[in-house]
């Protein structure tokens, strides 16, 4: 029976490559996992465990990656997980089922990364007196990570009985993985730059006292700490392995939790907004931004640009703390700029705006609501963290001001450009990687001019912010923040007014363009 379960796990993994979209996602996951595994091995070879900051970084990185591995099976949705409940209808011996599922947990990307993590810890301590202890800690740690992941999948599959709960778990798992990778990268960059080693040591000490990091810190402790940590890890593994057959039997034999789907009533977002043209368009735009794959792909990709810029500048030798000032403005810039071709994404739905007596102002204002709802809270939440991590707390007004200013200015410029010079876009229902037909040089010109216009309008405020940062002048930084916010507000209002006039005059031409593509 065990071999059947392992073959089922392999078949489940192979099914991820069926279909173009699924194959692309699977390849991206494999590339990310391969990059993480390779980075672990290469970084482990550079670790000098006699240095306190290197020991601390090893604990932080290992703990962060371990957390990401534990939640990784949930990131693809419970439908792709091999959990005990799937075998409830089959006459399988519970002991064999438990053993098969336990071994199947080690097959796949999370299992391979857990083993790689254990090997990396062993490599880091190779050639030292604690090398043997590191091998024991790595083996126990890898087994503990795999078993913890198995328990998490089994329990969440039993509790998540609604589609909304499954989607929430998937989103939380993906966010946890992203934060774990960010924490690991931050620890490595701090060691390379030599900034704040005491803070890194303090974080590692906290992790070493938790179940997440006590095994990875075992070789670095005193004799008593080493004994207790290894003993605790062995006991934890023994308890999880011994209790697994009982958990599997309990889940398989217990009645399945079922929650009847509530009757769909009302109009969703349209019930939450006033009965005005702007509000109706805003509600429809929110549906596009939350459900359309073309928009969701952009939302997912937005954090990638600042992350790549930070990594490139860090490799080039830029001061790591100051790099935390990059994400908020860059994220705001591209979020506002993305709306520059928003009209083209409507396709045939554009006829409603042409046939109905809707003012251009209502159309323009309704379309900027979703990016404002997405960007404004993120900017307000991320700006204090960026200012704190940069080591320049007085830069906070400039960060939040430039973030709001770039977002608002981008939406104002996009309100005009999307009505004045739209270009063909992928049709509704198309995948995020599909290319639109008839895409010519006009697209490149519109994208370039729109981005340059946003930067040109914000140039005075950005220049003032940079000057204040270089001079460490708190008053100048505060002035830059207010100037950027005022510029953004003015450009947003002006862009909506001018874009509304252009949209109303060109509405029939816009509909003809969209219908031809």
């Amino acid at each position: 029976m065990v071999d059947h379960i392992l073959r089922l796990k392999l078949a489940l993994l192979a099914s991820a490559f069926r279909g173009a979209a699924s194959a692309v996602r699977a390849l991206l996951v494999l590339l990310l996992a391969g990059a993480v595994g390779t980075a672990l091995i290469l970084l482990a070879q550079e670790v000098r465990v006699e240095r306190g900051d290197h020991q601390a970084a090893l604990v932080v990185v290992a703990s962060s990656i371990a957390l990401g591995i534990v939640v990784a099976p949930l990131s693809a949705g419970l439908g792709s997980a091999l959990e005990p409940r799937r075998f409830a209808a089959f006459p399988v011996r519970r002991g064999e089922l438990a053993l098969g599922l336990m071994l199947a947990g080690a097959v796949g990307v999370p299992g391979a990364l857990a083993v790689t993590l254990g090997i990396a810890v062993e490599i880091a301590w190779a050639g030292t007196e604690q090398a043997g202890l590191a091998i024991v800690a790595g083996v126990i740690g890898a087994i503990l990570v795999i078993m913890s992941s198995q328990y998490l999948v089994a329990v969440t599959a039993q509790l998540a009985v609604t589609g909304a709960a499954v989607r929430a778990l998937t989103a939380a798992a993906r966010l946890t993985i992203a934060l774990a990778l960010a924490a690991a990268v931050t620890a490595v960059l701090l060691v390379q730059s030599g900034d704040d080693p005491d803070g890194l040591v303090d974080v590692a000490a906290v992790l070493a006292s938790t179940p997440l990091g006590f095994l990875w810190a075992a070789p670095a402790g005193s004799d008593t700490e080493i004994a207790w940590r290894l003993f605790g890890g062995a006991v934890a593994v023994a308890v999880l392995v011994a209790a697994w057959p009982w958990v599997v039997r309990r889940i398989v034999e217990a009645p399945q939790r079922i929650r009847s789907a509530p009757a769909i009533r009302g109009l969703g977002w349209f019930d939450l907004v006033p009965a005005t043209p702007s509000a109706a368009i805003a509600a429809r735009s929110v549906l596009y931004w939350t459900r359309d794959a073309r928009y969701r792909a952009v939302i997912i990709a937005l954090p990638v640009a600042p992350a790549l810029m930070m990594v490139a500048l860090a490799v080039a030798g830029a001061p790591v703390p100051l790099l935390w000032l990059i994400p908020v403005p860059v994220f705001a810039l591209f979020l506002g700029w993305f709306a520059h071709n928003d009209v083209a994404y409507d396709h045939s739905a554009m006829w409603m705006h042409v046939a109905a007596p809707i003012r251009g102002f209502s159309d323009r204002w309704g379309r900027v609501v979703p990016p404002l709802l997405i960007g404004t809270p993120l900017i307000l939440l991320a700006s204090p963290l960026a200012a704190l991590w940069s080591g320049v707390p007085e830069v906070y007004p400039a960060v939040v001001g430039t973030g709001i200013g770039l977002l608002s200015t981008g939406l104002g410029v996009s309100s005009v450009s999307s009505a004045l010079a739209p270009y063909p876009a992928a049709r509704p229902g198309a995948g995020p990687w599909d290319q639109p037909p008839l895409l010519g040089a006009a697209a490149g010109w519109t994208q370039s001019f729109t981005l340059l216009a946003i930067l040109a309008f914000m140039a005075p405020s950005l220049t003032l912010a940079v000057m204040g940062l270089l001079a460490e002048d708190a008053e100048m930084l505060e002035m830059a923040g207010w100037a950027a916010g005022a510029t953004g507000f003015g450009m947003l209002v002006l862009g909506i007014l001018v874009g509304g006039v252009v949209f109303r005059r060109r509405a029939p031409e816009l509909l003809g363009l969209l219908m031809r593509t």
Side-chain angles (χ1 to χ4, degrees), residues 64-165:
S64 302
I65 299 300
L67 177 61
I69 295 172
V70 169
V71 303
L74 301 181
S75 63
L78 291 172
S80 61
L82 197 63
E83 47 91 11
R85 191 72 201 178
R86 290 172 175 256
F87 299 88
F90 300 97
V92 183
R93 293 180 181 179
R94 304 313 181 207
E96 294 182 357
L97 176 61
L99 178 60
L101 292 176
M102 187 187 304
L103 296 177
V107 178
V109 172
L113 283 179
V115 173
T116 304
L117 178 60
I119 294 174
V121 173
E122 297 164 10
I123 292 175
W125 287 93
T128 65
E129 296 180 355
Q130 291 83 7
L133 298 174
I135 294 176
V136 177
V139 172
I140 296 176
I143 297 174
L144 192 59
V145 168
I146 294 173
M147 289 303 303
S148 300
S149 180
Q150 286 288 91
Y151 273 85
L152 183 63
V153 169
V155 173
T156 52
Q158 183 72 1
L159 297 178
V161 296
T162 64

Side-chain angles (χ1 to χ4, degrees), residues 7-394:
R7 283 199 295 267
L8 282 174
K9 182 61 179 286
L10 294 175
L12 190 62
L13 294 174
S15 66
F17 293 91
R18 295 177 182 174
S22 298
V24 170
R25 286 194 297 267
L27 288 175
L28 291 177
V29 170
L30 288 178
L31 289 175
L32 176 60
V36 172
T38 303
L40 287 175
I41 299 299
L42 294 178
L43 291 173
Q45 296 175 355
E46 301 297 327
V47 172
R48 300 294 178 264
V49 292
E50 63 274 7
R51 292 178 51 178
D53 56 343
H54 279 222
Q55 287 186 11
L58 179 61
V59 174
V60 173
V61 171
S63 302
S64 302
I65 299 300
L67 177 61
I69 295 172
V70 169
V71 303
L74 301 181
S75 63
L78 291 172
S80 61
L82 197 63
E83 47 91 11
R85 191 72 201 178
R86 290 172 175 256
F87 299 88
F90 300 97
V92 183
R93 293 180 181 179
R94 304 313 181 207
E96 294 182 357
L97 176 61
L99 178 60
L101 292 176
M102 187 187 304
L103 296 177
V107 178
V109 172
L113 283 179
V115 173
T116 304
L117 178 60
I119 294 174
V121 173
E122 297 164 10
I123 292 175
W125 287 93
T128 65
E129 296 180 355
Q130 291 83 7
L133 298 174
I135 294 176
V136 177
V139 172
I140 296 176
I143 297 174
L144 192 59
V145 168
I146 294 173
M147 289 303 303
S148 300
S149 180
Q150 286 288 91
Y151 273 85
L152 183 63
V153 169
V155 173
T156 52
Q158 183 72 1
L159 297 178
V161 296
T162 64
V166 172
R167 289 192 294 271
L169 283 172
T170 302
R174 293 174 180 175
L175 178 60
T176 302
I177 293 173
L179 294 176
L181 292 176
V185 172
T186 302
V188 173
L189 294 178
L190 286 176
V191 170
Q192 290 181 344
S193 64
D195 296 330
D196 196 20
D198 295 335
L200 191 62
V201 171
D202 293 339
V203 173
V206 173
L207 289 174
S209 62
T210 65
L212 190 62
F214 74 100
L215 277 173
W216 314 120
S222 61
D223 293 341
T224 303
E225 290 176 337
I226 292 174
W228 276 110
R229 287 169 180 171
L230 294 180
F231 176 74
V235 170
V237 170
V239 170
L240 291 179
V241 172
W244 180 242
W246 178 85
V247 172
V248 171
R249 185 181 302 109
R250 181 72 176 174
I251 291 176
V252 171
E253 296 177 357
Q256 185 175 4
R257 299 176 70 249
I258 300 176
R259 180 175 298 177
S260 58
I264 299 177
R265 298 177 181 176
L267 299 175
W269 283 100
F270 293 94
D271 285 336
L272 303 178
V273 299
T276 62
S278 296
I281 295 172
R284 186 176 71 88
S285 298
V286 169
L287 291 177
Y288 273 34
W289 279 81
T290 55
R291 296 186 180 182
D292 195 315
R294 301 170 298 173
Y295 286 86
R296 287 188 296 181
V298 173
I299 295 176
I300 295 173
L302 278 175
V304 174
L308 293 177
M309 293 177 64
M310 291 180 65
V311 172
L313 292 174
V315 173
V320 174
L322 292 180
L323 296 181
W324 288 108
L325 299 177
I326 292 177
V328 172
V330 173
F331 172 84
L333 170 64
F334 284 107
L335 179 59
W337 171 80
F338 172 71
H340 72 274
N341 198 38
D342 189 65
V343 169
Y345 283 85
D346 283 3
H347 198 58
S348 59
M350 177 66 184
W351 74 268
M352 294 186 296
H353 297 248
V354 178
I358 296 177
R359 295 185 303 163
F361 171 84
S362 300
D363 179 273
R364 301 289 89 185
W365 170 242
R367 292 178 185 273
V368 303
V369 168
L372 286 176
L373 291 177
I374 295 172
T376 303
L378 290 177
I379 292 171
L380 295 178
L381 291 174
S383 295
L385 298 177
L388 178 63
W389 294 340
S390 69
V392 190
E394 58 270 17

